Amino acid sequence: MNFPDLNLLLTFDAMLREGSVTGAAERMNLSIPAMSRRLANLRETMGDPLFVLAGRRLVPTPLALELAPQVHDLLEDARNVLGNKQQLNLGTIKRVFTLRAEDGFTGAWALRLSQRVAEQAPHVTLRFMSQGNEDVAALRDGLSDLDIGIAGPLGPEVYKQRLYIDSFVGVVNNQHPLARLAHVSAQDLVSYPHLSVSRRGRTRGPLDLELEKIGLQRKVPLVVPGFQAAMQLASTSELVAVIPRRFVEWSLPLLPLSIFTLPVVTPSGEFSQAWHPRVNNDQVHRWLRQQVQECSSS
């Protein structure tokens, strides 16, 4: 099967716009003889002169006028595809985005993000799912559109954008003995049982490493998979939790919690959003990433 020469569409469009071989040649950056040959090929292909002399101009024949809107649309579609410059109409977009996120992020920003999205794209649905043993497969296979949480290794192929950096603080219920102290020492900290936040069930983390440097160890009788659950449990027990500050500050109006500064320095948490290269240039996905960034930075 012989594939048609699509350059003939450009020839047709240039002739229609300029009304002369000379003008069309200049538009297409061709010599006049080269443009004449293209016009001859176009006429032969279509079986019609397409442009005939009227005074000093070449005017379109009835067939050319009939084809003009179709050719215009074809060329516009081609420019949009090749240039990826489609006009984004959020009001008509119907998409479901799956966001794999820390439960603390979901609790703190899901509603705000949903409201922000609904104002601009009323037919877009956000579906949050909890994090698990993260790997690139869910992003690559389209099971997840964005991965939001503390930055971790997802492979070199994944794009990643920092949202913010947060410090960790100690969290106890308002009636806890530590809530009444002006300054919590390291010895005070290990005098009470802790709960650990780990999706993999780990009882140790950066805080334990710092405590060991000064010869102290905390007791961790309970491990939960997310920060939201940790705050709920801390608010109704004697357990001490270590939570990103912004998550706790969002929960303070809802839970009877007190915050205190940790007596040892622990690494900050870098929260980011990650996505697969397959959607990097998708305009709607790019818009969603912008909403996540602006929402989490406010």
Side-chain angles (χ1 to χ4, degrees), residues 214-249:
I214 54 177
L216 295 175
Q217 185 176 358
R218 62 176 183 157
K219 295 179 180 179
V220 183
L222 180 62
V223 181
V224 295
F227 294 120
Q228 199 69 33
M231 288 187 286
Q232 290 281 354
L233 291 168
S235 70
T236 58
S237 71
E238 195 181 33
L239 293 169
V240 179
V242 177
I243 309 289
R245 179 179 290 275
R246 293 182 72 178
F247 290 173
V248 187
E249 290 176 344

Short mmCIF file of all heavy atoms in Angstrom, two decimals, residues 214-249:
data_model
loop_
_atom_site.label_atom_id
_atom_site.label_comp_id
_atom_site.label_asym_id
_atom_site.label_seq_id
_atom_site.Cartn_x
_atom_site.Cartn_y
_atom_site.Cartn_z
N ILE A 214 23.36 8.34 73.00
CA ILE A 214 23.51 8.83 74.37
C ILE A 214 23.12 7.76 75.39
O ILE A 214 22.80 8.05 76.54
CB ILE A 214 22.67 10.12 74.59
CG1 ILE A 214 21.20 9.89 74.19
CG2 ILE A 214 23.25 11.27 73.77
CD1 ILE A 214 20.31 11.11 74.47
N GLY A 215 23.11 6.51 74.92
CA GLY A 215 22.90 5.38 75.82
C GLY A 215 21.47 5.15 76.27
O GLY A 215 21.25 4.54 77.32
N LEU A 216 20.50 5.60 75.49
CA LEU A 216 19.10 5.44 75.86
C LEU A 216 18.36 4.60 74.82
O LEU A 216 18.77 4.51 73.66
CB LEU A 216 18.42 6.81 76.00
CG LEU A 216 18.93 7.72 77.13
CD1 LEU A 216 18.26 9.07 77.08
CD2 LEU A 216 18.74 7.06 78.49
N GLN A 217 17.25 4.02 75.26
CA GLN A 217 16.45 3.19 74.37
C GLN A 217 14.98 3.36 74.74
O GLN A 217 14.63 3.41 75.92
CB GLN A 217 16.85 1.72 74.50
CG GLN A 217 16.15 0.78 73.53
CD GLN A 217 16.68 -0.64 73.64
OE1 GLN A 217 17.58 -0.92 74.42
NE2 GLN A 217 16.10 -1.54 72.85
N ARG A 218 14.14 3.47 73.77
CA ARG A 218 12.71 3.61 74.04
C ARG A 218 12.01 2.25 73.90
O ARG A 218 12.49 1.36 73.20
CB ARG A 218 12.06 4.64 73.11
CG ARG A 218 12.14 4.29 71.64
CD ARG A 218 11.41 5.30 70.77
NE ARG A 218 11.45 4.89 69.35
CZ ARG A 218 10.59 5.29 68.45
NH1 ARG A 218 9.61 6.12 68.79
NH2 ARG A 218 10.68 4.89 67.19
N LYS A 219 10.86 2.12 74.54
CA LYS A 219 10.04 0.92 74.43
C LYS A 219 8.95 1.18 73.39
O LYS A 219 8.26 2.19 73.44
CB LYS A 219 9.40 0.58 75.77
CG LYS A 219 10.40 0.20 76.86
CD LYS A 219 9.69 -0.10 78.16
CE LYS A 219 10.69 -0.47 79.25
NZ LYS A 219 9.99 -0.76 80.54
N VAL A 220 8.79 0.25 72.46
CA VAL A 220 7.80 0.41 71.38
C VAL A 220 6.90 -0.82 71.36
O VAL A 220 7.17 -1.80 70.65
CB VAL A 220 8.49 0.59 70.01
CG1 VAL A 220 7.44 0.82 68.92
CG2 VAL A 220 9.48 1.75 70.04
N PRO A 221 5.81 -0.80 72.14
CA PRO A 221 4.92 -1.96 72.18
C PRO A 221 3.91 -2.01 71.04
O PRO A 221 3.19 -3.00 70.89
CB PRO A 221 4.19 -1.78 73.52
CG PRO A 221 4.16 -0.30 73.72
CD PRO A 221 5.43 0.24 73.13
N LEU A 222 3.84 -0.94 70.22
CA LEU A 222 2.81 -0.89 69.19
C LEU A 222 3.37 -0.24 67.92
O LEU A 222 4.05 0.79 67.98
CB LEU A 222 1.61 -0.08 69.69
CG LEU A 222 0.42 0.09 68.73
CD1 LEU A 222 -0.19 -1.26 68.37
CD2 LEU A 222 -0.63 1.00 69.35
N VAL A 223 3.08 -0.87 66.79
CA VAL A 223 3.48 -0.33 65.48
C VAL A 223 2.23 -0.18 64.63
O VAL A 223 1.43 -1.12 64.53
CB VAL A 223 4.49 -1.25 64.77
CG1 VAL A 223 4.90 -0.65 63.42
CG2 VAL A 223 5.70 -1.49 65.64
N VAL A 224 2.04 0.98 64.02
CA VAL A 224 0.90 1.22 63.14
C VAL A 224 1.42 1.68 61.78
O VAL A 224 2.53 2.18 61.66
CB VAL A 224 -0.06 2.28 63.73
CG1 VAL A 224 -0.70 1.77 65.02
CG2 VAL A 224 0.66 3.59 63.99
N PRO A 225 0.62 1.51 60.72
CA PRO A 225 1.13 1.78 59.37
C PRO A 225 1.11 3.24 58.94
O PRO A 225 1.72 3.59 57.95
CB PRO A 225 0.21 0.95 58.48
CG PRO A 225 -1.07 0.89 59.24
CD PRO A 225 -0.69 0.83 60.68
N GLY A 226 0.38 4.11 59.69
CA GLY A 226 0.25 5.48 59.21
C GLY A 226 0.20 6.51 60.32
O GLY A 226 -0.09 6.20 61.49
N PHE A 227 0.46 7.76 59.96
CA PHE A 227 0.50 8.85 60.93
C PHE A 227 -0.89 9.17 61.50
O PHE A 227 -1.03 9.55 62.67
CB PHE A 227 1.09 10.10 60.29
CG PHE A 227 2.54 9.96 59.93
CD1 PHE A 227 2.94 10.09 58.60
CD2 PHE A 227 3.49 9.67 60.89
CE1 PHE A 227 4.28 9.96 58.26
CE2 PHE A 227 4.83 9.54 60.56
CZ PHE A 227 5.23 9.69 59.24
N GLN A 228 -1.92 9.05 60.68
CA GLN A 228 -3.26 9.36 61.15
C GLN A 228 -3.67 8.42 62.28
O GLN A 228 -4.20 8.86 63.31
CB GLN A 228 -4.26 9.26 59.99
CG GLN A 228 -5.57 9.99 60.21
CD GLN A 228 -5.39 11.50 60.22
OE1 GLN A 228 -4.53 12.04 59.53
NE2 GLN A 228 -6.18 12.19 61.02
N ALA A 229 -3.42 7.14 62.11
CA ALA A 229 -3.73 6.17 63.16
C ALA A 229 -2.91 6.45 64.41
O ALA A 229 -3.40 6.32 65.54
CB ALA A 229 -3.47 4.75 62.66
N ALA A 230 -1.64 6.83 64.23
CA ALA A 230 -0.77 7.12 65.37
C ALA A 230 -1.31 8.29 66.19
O ALA A 230 -1.31 8.25 67.43
CB ALA A 230 0.64 7.42 64.88
N MET A 231 -1.78 9.32 65.52
CA MET A 231 -2.32 10.47 66.25
C MET A 231 -3.60 10.11 66.98
O MET A 231 -3.83 10.54 68.12
CB MET A 231 -2.56 11.64 65.27
CG MET A 231 -1.27 12.29 64.80
SD MET A 231 -1.54 13.79 63.80
CE MET A 231 -2.12 13.05 62.27
N GLN A 232 -4.44 9.31 66.36
CA GLN A 232 -5.68 8.88 67.01
C GLN A 232 -5.37 8.10 68.28
O GLN A 232 -5.96 8.31 69.33
CB GLN A 232 -6.49 8.01 66.05
CG GLN A 232 -7.11 8.74 64.87
CD GLN A 232 -8.38 9.49 65.25
OE1 GLN A 232 -8.87 9.38 66.36
NE2 GLN A 232 -8.89 10.26 64.31
N LEU A 233 -4.42 7.17 68.21
CA LEU A 233 -4.07 6.34 69.35
C LEU A 233 -3.39 7.16 70.44
O LEU A 233 -3.65 6.97 71.64
CB LEU A 233 -3.18 5.19 68.91
CG LEU A 233 -3.87 4.14 68.04
CD1 LEU A 233 -2.85 3.21 67.40
CD2 LEU A 233 -4.87 3.34 68.87
N ALA A 234 -2.51 8.06 70.04
CA ALA A 234 -1.83 8.89 71.03
C ALA A 234 -2.81 9.79 71.79
O ALA A 234 -2.61 10.08 72.97
CB ALA A 234 -0.75 9.74 70.35
N SER A 235 -3.86 10.20 71.12
CA SER A 235 -4.82 11.11 71.76
C SER A 235 -5.65 10.43 72.84
O SER A 235 -6.29 11.11 73.65
CB SER A 235 -5.75 11.71 70.70
OG SER A 235 -6.64 10.73 70.18
N THR A 236 -5.65 9.11 72.88
CA THR A 236 -6.49 8.38 73.84
C THR A 236 -5.69 7.42 74.71
O THR A 236 -6.26 6.50 75.30
CB THR A 236 -7.59 7.60 73.10
OG1 THR A 236 -6.98 6.69 72.18
CG2 THR A 236 -8.52 8.54 72.35
N SER A 237 -4.37 7.60 74.77
CA SER A 237 -3.54 6.66 75.53
C SER A 237 -2.34 7.38 76.11
O SER A 237 -2.15 8.59 75.94
CB SER A 237 -3.09 5.51 74.62
OG SER A 237 -2.13 5.98 73.69
N GLU A 238 -1.49 6.59 76.77
CA GLU A 238 -0.25 7.12 77.33
C GLU A 238 0.90 7.04 76.34
O GLU A 238 2.02 7.45 76.61
CB GLU A 238 0.11 6.33 78.61
CG GLU A 238 1.16 6.99 79.48
CD GLU A 238 1.50 6.17 80.71
OE1 GLU A 238 1.46 4.92 80.61
OE2 GLU A 238 1.79 6.76 81.77
N LEU A 239 0.63 6.51 75.16
CA LEU A 239 1.67 6.30 74.16
C LEU A 239 2.18 7.63 73.59
O LEU A 239 1.41 8.59 73.41
CB LEU A 239 1.14 5.43 73.03
CG LEU A 239 0.81 3.98 73.39
CD1 LEU A 239 0.06 3.32 72.25
CD2 LEU A 239 2.09 3.22 73.71
N VAL A 240 3.46 7.64 73.27
CA VAL A 240 4.10 8.80 72.65
C VAL A 240 4.29 8.50 71.17
O VAL A 240 4.73 7.40 70.80
CB VAL A 240 5.47 9.09 73.30
CG1 VAL A 240 6.13 10.30 72.63
CG2 VAL A 240 5.31 9.31 74.79
N ALA A 241 3.95 9.46 70.31
CA ALA A 241 4.13 9.30 68.86
C ALA A 241 5.07 10.38 68.34
O ALA A 241 5.18 11.46 68.91
CB ALA A 241 2.78 9.39 68.14
N VAL A 242 5.74 10.07 67.26
CA VAL A 242 6.61 11.03 66.58
C VAL A 242 6.04 11.24 65.18
O VAL A 242 5.98 10.30 64.37
CB VAL A 242 8.06 10.52 66.51
CG1 VAL A 242 8.94 11.50 65.74
CG2 VAL A 242 8.61 10.31 67.92
N ILE A 243 5.59 12.48 64.93
CA ILE A 243 4.77 12.77 63.74
C ILE A 243 5.31 14.02 63.04
O ILE A 243 5.81 14.93 63.70
CB ILE A 243 3.30 13.03 64.15
CG1 ILE A 243 2.77 11.90 65.04
CG2 ILE A 243 2.40 13.23 62.93
CD1 ILE A 243 2.54 10.60 64.34
N PRO A 244 5.19 14.12 61.70
CA PRO A 244 5.53 15.37 61.01
C PRO A 244 4.69 16.52 61.55
O PRO A 244 3.49 16.39 61.75
CB PRO A 244 5.20 15.09 59.55
CG PRO A 244 5.33 13.60 59.42
CD PRO A 244 4.85 13.05 60.73
N ARG A 245 5.32 17.66 61.78
CA ARG A 245 4.66 18.79 62.45
C ARG A 245 3.39 19.24 61.74
O ARG A 245 2.38 19.51 62.37
CB ARG A 245 5.63 19.96 62.56
CG ARG A 245 5.02 21.21 63.21
CD ARG A 245 6.01 22.33 63.31
NE ARG A 245 7.06 22.04 64.29
CZ ARG A 245 6.93 22.27 65.60
NH1 ARG A 245 5.79 22.79 66.08
NH2 ARG A 245 7.92 21.99 66.41
N ARG A 246 3.42 19.32 60.42
CA ARG A 246 2.26 19.86 59.71
C ARG A 246 1.04 18.95 59.84
O ARG A 246 -0.09 19.43 59.88
CB ARG A 246 2.61 20.09 58.22
CG ARG A 246 3.65 21.18 58.03
CD ARG A 246 3.94 21.42 56.56
NE ARG A 246 2.84 22.10 55.89
CZ ARG A 246 2.87 22.46 54.62
NH1 ARG A 246 3.93 22.21 53.87
NH2 ARG A 246 1.84 23.07 54.07
N PHE A 247 1.26 17.65 59.90
CA PHE A 247 0.13 16.73 60.09
C PHE A 247 -0.51 16.95 61.45
O PHE A 247 -1.74 16.95 61.58
CB PHE A 247 0.59 15.28 59.97
CG PHE A 247 1.00 14.86 58.59
CD1 PHE A 247 1.57 13.63 58.36
CD2 PHE A 247 0.82 15.71 57.50
CE1 PHE A 247 1.94 13.23 57.08
CE2 PHE A 247 1.18 15.33 56.22
CZ PHE A 247 1.76 14.09 56.01
N VAL A 248 0.33 17.15 62.47
CA VAL A 248 -0.21 17.35 63.81
C VAL A 248 -0.94 18.68 63.91
O VAL A 248 -2.03 18.77 64.49
CB VAL A 248 0.92 17.30 64.87
CG1 VAL A 248 0.33 17.32 66.26
CG2 VAL A 248 1.77 16.07 64.69
N GLU A 249 -0.37 19.73 63.35
CA GLU A 249 -1.00 21.05 63.43
C GLU A 249 -2.36 21.04 62.76
O GLU A 249 -3.30 21.71 63.22
CB GLU A 249 -0.09 22.09 62.79
CG GLU A 249 1.18 22.36 63.61
CD GLU A 249 2.13 23.32 62.93
OE1 GLU A 249 1.97 23.56 61.70
OE2 GLU A 249 3.04 23.83 63.61
#
